[in-house]
Amino acid sequence: MSRILYFCPDFPQPSGGIKTLYRHAQRLVELGFDAWIVHQKRPFRVTWHGYEAPTLWLSERPQFRSQDILVIPEVMPQIMQQTARFAGERIVIALSWSPTYWNLPSGQDWRTYGIERVLTKSPLIQSYLRWSMDIEATLISEYVNEERYRYTPESKRPKVCYLTRKERSAAWLHSLLCAKGKPFTEFEWMPLRELSEDEYARQLREATVYVSTNMQEGMNTSVLEAMACGCVVAGYSGIGGFYMDGAGEERNCILVENGNLPALGEQLEDALRRLSADPAAFASVVRNGLRTAGAYQNPDDEAHSLRSVYAPLVAAGA
């Protein structure tokens, strides 16, 4: 039987991309496929996300067979180069649209190394790859865990959560607003870093507001997770947050132009003042956010899309 081998960077910090790779591998095993995670050096593994999959390490020089299917993240172009002569199927899984991750010589793209098949979770990335590389990508359904990311009104308290791994301007807004005193000092401010997946989700379930300041996102899944927990999302779409709606009856967030930090500061100040006076001030925004996130919380959608991609390839390689 063909193995499906998901290459994964030896990166210990919580990352949405690494969570996706592990979750795909676990989901495929549950579906009856022979799926593995491939890391660089034994015994490196990551466990913060709670997903389990069999693991191989390149440091142990595993043998790859021609019927194997190699799945390579866009952040690992060196693996694309090193496997260019591989006789079996190779697939790039593209979780970001940013060219800063390609690290390729001028005039080259993934096709230079024989890549013809790409998977992505984002329509933005799909369109971007079609334009930038003249290469087609198959959409795989996104999944936001309904057990972890859920709305529990009784858990809510005045809390503002934000990420710091890629971008730190939310921490600057935290400092600036707290210098103004009340009501901003009456909110708990929680940077979400180096947390297990369960603890990360618990923080979002408690939070009133989630601040999004990343400007280059393929899907901006962290926003969907925050919406699923009933947070008022304020900030940037990251370009990949195509489902974020900042106006009208369908408004599901406080949407600010990408990179306009002064505008975000003013919008966040206004929102916190309103929430301090009336915790239900953004009730309709929260309801719309829950509906938006709910469209991504059916695990069968992801399983079906994975099966539809890999079943024909495994059958062909058997």
Side-chain angles (χ1 to χ4, degrees):
M1 183 177 182
S2 300
R3 295 179 300 176
I4 304 171
L5 306 176
Y6 270 74
F7 286 75
C8 186
D10 288 5
F11 185 73
Q13 296 183 30
S15 154
I18 286 176
K19 178 172 65 175
T20 294
L21 300 177
Y22 268 79
R23 190 179 68 244
H24 278 196
Q26 175 178 303
R27 189 84 73 203
L28 287 165
V29 169
E30 293 169 350
L31 292 169
F33 293 94
D34 189 11
W36 297 70
I37 288 288
V38 181
H39 276 297
Q40 280 68 58
K41 294 184 179 180
R42 187 184 181 99
F44 184 89
R45 293 176 69 251
V46 291
T47 59
W48 52 263
H49 44 61
Y51 295 107
E52 295 286 343
T55 306
L56 295 173
W57 291 272
L58 294 177
S59 61
E60 297 193 327
R61 300 184 180 279
Q63 296 298 309
F64 299 136
R65 306 185 295 263
S66 60
Q67 64 265 39
D68 289 337
I69 301 165
L70 310 187
V71 185
I72 306 168
E74 87 283 351
V75 296
M76 303 181 76
Q78 71 280 8
I79 299 296
M80 302 179 207
Q81 297 169 342
Q82 293 166 5
T83 60
R85 296 179 180 273
F86 178 66
E89 185 75 45
R90 291 180 304 143
I91 301 173
V92 167
I93 180 166
L95 302 176
S96 172
W97 62 267
S98 173
T100 59
Y101 293 122
W102 294 359
N103 298 318
L104 297 175
S106 178
Q108 296 186 1
D109 60 27
W110 298 340
R111 296 170 302 172
T112 307
Y113 308 109
I115 299 297
E116 297 180 354
R117 193 184 300 271
V118 179
L119 304 180
T120 185
K121 300 186 297 182
S122 167
L124 168 75
I125 296 175
Q126 183 185 45
S127 176
Y128 179 65
L129 291 175
R130 186 180 297 127
W131 168 77
S132 62
M133 295 191 190
D134 195 24
I135 193 169
E136 292 296 326
T138 300
L139 281 178
I140 296 293
S141 295
E142 177 62 292
Y143 174 62
V144 175
N145 189 302
E146 65 223 342
E147 295 180 3
R148 286 178 173 144
Y149 300 101
R150 63 187 188 276
Y151 182 37
T152 53
E154 68 277 7
S155 300
K156 292 296 182 184
R157 61 176 192 255
K159 176 187 282 191
V160 181
C161 286
Y162 56 90
L163 294 174
T164 61
R165 185 172 71 84
K166 296 181 181 178
E167 213 280 335
R168 299 190 59 83
S169 58
W172 178 78
L173 290 176
H174 167 197
S175 177
L176 186 152
L177 289 176
C178 283
K180 293 175 177 280
K182 293 182 179 180
F184 313 109
T185 53
E186 296 174 334
F187 285 82
E188 177 186 354
W189 294 74
M190 180 67 188
L192 302 174
R193 57 174 176 253
E194 298 181 3
L195 301 176
S196 69
E197 185 80 358
D198 287 336
E199 179 61 17
Y200 175 90
R202 185 182 71 82
Q203 295 293 338
L204 287 179
R205 291 196 299 270
E206 293 180 353
T208 310
V209 175
Y210 175 78
V211 183
S212 173
T213 57
N214 291 342
M215 291 186 287
Q216 292 184 346
E217 293 291 332
M219 188 75 187
N220 215 347
T221 305
S222 62
V223 164
L224 287 172
E225 293 165 346
M227 287 180 173
C229 292
C231 298
V232 178
V233 172
Y236 312 148
S237 72
I239 303 178
F242 54 88
Y243 49 82
M244 296 172 72
D245 190 340
E249 294 184 359
E250 301 301 315
R251 184 189 187 199
N252 59 15
C253 64
I254 300 170
L255 186 60
V256 178
E257 178 189 14
N258 250 22
N260 192 339
L261 188 59
L264 176 55
E266 292 179 5
Q267 292 280 347
L268 183 58
E269 176 176 1
D270 176 70
L272 294 179
R273 288 190 188 279
R274 291 175 60 186
L275 286 166
S276 179
D278 176 12
F282 291 89
S284 63
V285 172
V286 170
R287 285 195 301 271
N288 289 336
L290 289 168
R291 186 167 59 252
T292 299
Y296 297 91
Q297 293 197 282
N298 184 349
D300 293 340
D301 291 342
E302 182 180 59
H304 174 75
S305 60
L306 288 170
R307 184 189 288 111
S308 67
V309 167
Y310 289 112
L313 298 177
V314 169

